[in-house]
Amino acid sequence: MQISLFHWDGISVSTWAGFDNYTEIARDPQLRAGFLHSFVLILFFSVIPIALALVLAAVTTRAGRLRGVSVFRAMIFLPQVVAMVVTATAWTAIYAPDGVLNTALRAIGLETVARPWLGDFSTALPAVGLIGTWLEIGLCLVLFIAGIGQIPAELYEAAKLDGAGPVREFFAVTLPGLRGQITVALTLTVIAALRTFDLVYVATHGGPGNATSLPAYEVYNRAFGTGQVGSACAIAVTLTAVILLLTFLITKVQPQEDET
């Protein structure tokens, strides 16, 4: 944190900056955009994976005895054990102008939809976000399946006796029983969205323009690219504070269990 109070290029003598590096974050449109991009990624890294994983966990748990369910769960979790650099490289190839996605779109007559997904200002950030959705859904699914296994079977039996169908059973029993797991998943995925660096570094380098620039990437770029070490440290400190604040808020939102 001390370095963030100085102007320093990492080599020459530093000069006192006070809080200039912090006020720059509010003044610089590129830095403001970077933080806004991070909050957009929360939708893709956190909200969508949690919603999809809740549905998948409920469905696969009810169909636990069907052949192939365990293989399906393993395939969903697989992105969690693959190195991020490998994931980013693979998805860059998929999103390429002549990649798998555009080839498939052209094959079904949607040539007008095909585009350089990571090179288009309007689609670059959502394209990166969808990679995050694919990455995080497996983690959420594992947490929710484990949580469903801890819900007393008597609650499901009572719901069935009351005439509850699968949907009502999900909202009346499964969802309330997964409050703790949802909090953990929300915390982990929000942190993953805010600290995203390697995915952007490999796939887009913050481009096109600054369409996918993120605080974590700006920390690296300013410290090692433009020689603004003090500014990079200020961004890192601010990002850490944002992560801590959101984590605190998430834990406070979680309903507390009644004490007996």
Side-chain angles (χ1 to χ4, degrees):
M1 181 174 179
Q2 180 180 355
I3 298 176
S4 67
L5 301 177
F6 291 84
H7 293 303
W8 186 42
D9 60 6
I11 300 175
S12 61
V13 178
S14 61
T15 58
W16 178 253
F19 291 99
D20 288 351
N21 289 324
Y22 290 95
T23 57
E24 182 190 11
I25 297 175
R27 295 194 309 263
D28 191 330
Q30 182 173 341
L31 292 179
R32 292 201 307 268
F35 278 91
L36 290 176
H37 294 160
S38 288
F39 285 103
V40 172
L41 287 187
I42 289 176
L43 172 66
F44 291 97
F45 275 69
S46 185
V47 178
I48 296 177
I50 288 175
L52 292 177
L54 282 170
V55 175
L56 289 174
V59 171
T60 58
T61 301
R62 293 180 67 89
R65 295 182 179 181
L66 293 179
R67 181 178 299 177
V69 170
S70 59
V71 176
F72 172 76
R73 292 174 179 172
M75 291 178 61
I76 292 294
F77 185 74
L78 185 61
Q80 286 292 314
V81 299
V82 177
M84 182 64 76
V85 173
V86 175
T87 297
T89 302
W91 277 94
T92 300
I94 292 173
Y95 282 139
D98 58 348
V100 174
L101 179 56
N102 283 334
T103 301
L105 290 173
R106 295 187 183 101
I108 60 177
L110 296 176
E111 294 89 350
T112 57
V113 179
R115 65 191 65 199
W117 298 94
L118 295 175
D120 191 309
F121 282 89
S122 62
T123 60
L125 187 62
V128 171
L130 288 175
I131 301 175
T133 300
W134 180 74
L135 284 168
E136 300 300 332
I137 191 172
L139 172 65
C140 298
L141 181 61
V142 169
L143 287 172
F144 296 156
I145 289 176
I148 290 175
Q150 297 174 2
I151 299 175
E154 293 81 3
L155 295 179
Y156 288 103
E157 294 173 0
K160 291 178 181 178
L161 290 174
D162 288 341
V167 176
R168 182 180 170 190
E169 184 181 289
F170 172 79
F171 285 102
V173 179
T174 304
L175 196 57
L178 291 176
R179 290 179 301 178
Q181 286 75 19
I182 291 174
T183 300
V184 172
L186 189 60
T187 301
L188 293 176
T189 53
V190 166
I191 292 174
L194 293 175
R195 66 176 179 82
T196 298
F197 164 73
D198 38 9
L199 178 58
V200 168
Y201 179 77
V202 174
T204 65
H205 287 282
N210 67 333
T212 58
S213 177
L214 300 173
Y217 178 78
E218 283 297 326
V219 171
Y220 169 84
N221 186 49
R222 291 186 175 232
F224 299 102
T226 62
Q228 297 173 278
V229 179
S231 176
C233 290
I235 298 170
V237 171
T238 303
L239 179 60
T240 302
V242 171
I243 291 175
L244 291 175
L245 176 61
L246 290 179
T247 302
F248 175 77
L249 292 176
I250 291 170
T251 56
K252 285 299 181 182
V253 169
Q254 179 189 10
Q256 300 297 319
E257 298 292 338
D258 296 332
E259 296 182 1
T260 55

